[in-house]
Amino acid sequence: MTEMISLESIVKTYPGSRVPALKGVSLDVRDGEFFTLLGPSGCGKTTLLRCIAGLENPDAGAIRIGGAAVFDSHRGLNTGPNKRNIGMVFQSYAIWPHMTVFENVAFPLRCRGERDLKAKVMHAMEVVGLEAFADRYSSRLSGGQQQRVALARAIVAQPDVMLLDEPLSNLDAALRGQMRVELRRLQREVGITTVLVTHDQHEALAMSDRIAVMSGGEVLEVNDPRELYERPSTIFSAQFLGNANRLQGTRAEGSHTVSTPIGVLSVDTLPATGDVACFVRPEHIELHLPSTLNGVPNSFSATVTEIRYVGEYCECDVTINGKDGAVTLRARMALSDAFQSGAACIVRLPPESIHCIPITAATL
Ligand SMILES: Nc1ncnc2c1ncn2[C@@H]1O[C@H](COP(=O)(O)OP(=O)(O)OP(=O)(O)O)[C@@H](O)[C@H]1O
């Protein structure tokens, strides 16, 4: 697969700020890919997206879109946003309330002077399922429908790239879930290279071909959703995605075990040397009745210290008396499980579900 967007060492510091918003970001987005920039508030996602769009000028670096250089600080090259052949959707949709749906969608084509635009506009409205609303004023649409108008307007000019900045965050939870599926379907159908900015890990995991995890103006790692969730290579990603439990570990010489504050853990894979951070996801922790699993590796006596009902399951805290004091892990409990708060239990951490990351400067 060829790359559609290529970013090389992008640096950006806003005037008056002492901390760079982007500290030399390099990445490639492949042709036809749904690529997500994921990270906490303030990590630089929007700044990077705006640099790709040409709405923000980097201090240094180079950007290529579809093989053509659109920005290069060494060559003094900077192609304007309207010449980069991109479509953008913002959090606020930015559609015009005083225009009909048709006129909103037609706007980019009118801007570039196209006259015979009806077929293209109707097609874009069809793709997002709004053909029946062509003559309706945009102010008389629901949030989800307005969002679709913004999408239709982004794709009508058949751009090389679609850039989406938190486009679903104004929608309620149910509609957001529905729009995730629709947006992904639309992106596949049209085959357009898409970059999404979000701080919502569920959104990122559900929609992306690949995800770049960002923190403090840097890209920490890029991977596909499954690999990133199950085998993150940085401690930041492991903690940011999915509330993983963390146990500090020291590798026991010559064996597949790690010494941790709750005791010795058998693990399936271990880095060659050094201290490790061991991560176990709440959904992988098993809870058993007391006096079971005698002598089974990775089982520990514990107390259920808190139970939180969250709908399809209960989230619970289990506390284990470790060698240096109590250690609390977050687990999931099926609604059919009979544990009450305060109950004794046995906690088992399956070896295959423990992911160990070596603690080095590169993995923090
Ligand atoms: N126009 C601006 N002027 C000065 N500083 C800015 C400007 N825009 C962003 N910043 C700063 O740059 C850093 C990166 O901001 P950016 O908006 O790119 O982050 P983000 O990851 O998109 O955050 P969020 O998810 O909250 O939108 C932050 O520290 C922010 O305060």
Side-chain angles (χ1 to χ4, degrees):
M1 217 188 257
T2 53
E3 68 214 25
M4 174 55 84
I5 304 172
S6 166
L7 305 176
E8 223 180 279
S9 309
I10 304 295
V11 176
K12 170 77 186 175
T13 305
Y14 285 102
S17 171
R18 279 193 291 160
V19 188
L22 298 172
K23 298 177 185 165
V25 171
S26 298
L27 47 87
D28 290 328
V29 180
R30 299 167 187 156
D31 191 8
E33 187 171 40
F34 197 113
F35 191 94
T36 296
L37 303 174
L38 173 72
S41 185
C43 71
K45 309 178 293 291
T46 295
T47 304
L48 191 59
L49 198 76
R50 288 173 62 82
C51 287
I52 298 171
L55 299 172
E56 213 67 72
N57 295 329
D59 303 323
I63 302 174
R64 299 172 71 81
I65 299 179
V70 294
F71 182 86
D72 191 328
S73 56
H74 288 305
R75 289 159 53 195
L77 175 79
N78 191 3
T79 306
N82 53 347
K83 301 248 164 58
R84 292 193 184 191
N85 202 20
I86 47 166
M88 265 200 100
V89 179
F90 301 92
Q91 187 174 343
S92 58
Y93 320 143
I95 58 171
W96 288 280
H98 61 283
M99 284 188 194
T100 62
V101 169
F102 184 96
E103 284 308 321
N104 261 293
V105 177
F107 193 80
L109 300 180
R110 291 210 196 283
C111 282
R112 60 183 200 197
E114 282 193 38
R115 285 163 180 271
D116 193 15
L117 43 73
K118 189 162 182 209
K120 282 184 187 168
V121 175
M122 289 311 283
H123 176 69
M125 288 193 304
E126 240 171 72
V127 171
V128 300
L130 276 185
E131 61 274 33
F133 293 83
D135 298 325
R136 181 154 325 168
Y137 278 95
S138 304
S139 51
R140 296 184 48 224
L141 294 174
S142 71
Q145 290 164 337
Q146 290 186 30
Q147 214 274 348
R148 281 181 230 186
V149 175
L151 282 171
R153 195 183 51 185
I155 59 170
V156 71
Q158 295 180 313
D160 293 329
V161 170
M162 183 156 67
L163 304 177
L164 309 172
D165 192 354
E166 307 252 11
L168 308 182
S169 59
N170 279 342
L171 306 178
D172 64 50
L175 192 54
R176 200 157 61 227
Q178 188 190 326
M179 286 305 293
R180 264 182 211 162
V181 177
E182 284 191 23
L183 186 52
R184 186 62 171 130
R185 176 191 55 79
L186 181 144
Q187 187 267 341
R188 281 215 179 94
E189 254 174 47
V190 185
I192 186 173
T193 308
T194 300
V195 183
L196 168 77
V197 158
T198 185
H199 58 260
D200 182 331
Q201 47 163 307
H202 299 295
E203 201 165 291
L205 292 172
M207 297 179 75
S208 318
D209 291 313
R210 289 189 307 153
I211 299 170
V213 178
M214 291 186 69
S215 169
E218 292 177 292
V219 169
L220 300 186
E221 62 181 303
V222 179
N223 224 325
D224 65 77
R226 187 154 199 173
E227 198 60 24
L228 189 64
Y229 189 79
E230 292 180 4
R231 281 172 290 278
S233 54
T234 62
I235 290 170
F236 181 88
S237 304
Q239 282 173 330
F240 188 69
L241 282 120
N243 289 320
N245 293 289
R246 176 181 176 170
L247 293 164
Q248 200 68 13
T250 312
R251 191 173 208 277
E253 268 311 307
S255 73
H256 254 71
T257 58
V258 187
S259 174
T260 76
I262 60 169
V264 173
L265 287 180
S266 282
V267 295
D268 275 2
T269 50
L270 250 187
T273 51
D275 287 346
V276 292
C278 302
F279 290 96
V280 194
R281 305 260 176 219
E283 64 269 29
H284 292 146
I285 294 184
E286 296 173 8
L287 302 184
H288 297 270
L289 291 169
S291 315
T292 55
L293 305 187
N294 285 335
V296 173
N298 294 5
S299 348
F300 305 92
S301 297
T303 307
V304 177
T305 40
E306 206 174 306
I307 299 177
R308 294 174 292 276
Y309 173 76
V310 293
E312 60 271 56
Y313 58 88
C314 288
E315 212 176 65
C316 63
D317 292 345
V318 286
T319 302
I320 300 166
N321 279 326
K323 58 183 190 314
D324 303 316
V327 177
T328 298
L329 302 177
R330 179 172 298 177
R332 269 191 198 179
M333 190 168 82
L335 295 178
S336 55
D337 278 355
F339 294 104
Q340 304 284 323
S341 188
C345 67
I346 301 287
V347 162
R348 177 172 174 266
L349 313 183
E352 67 279 9
S353 69
I354 301 171
H355 178 62
C356 299
I357 301 179
I359 300 176
T360 66
T363 62
L364 287 178

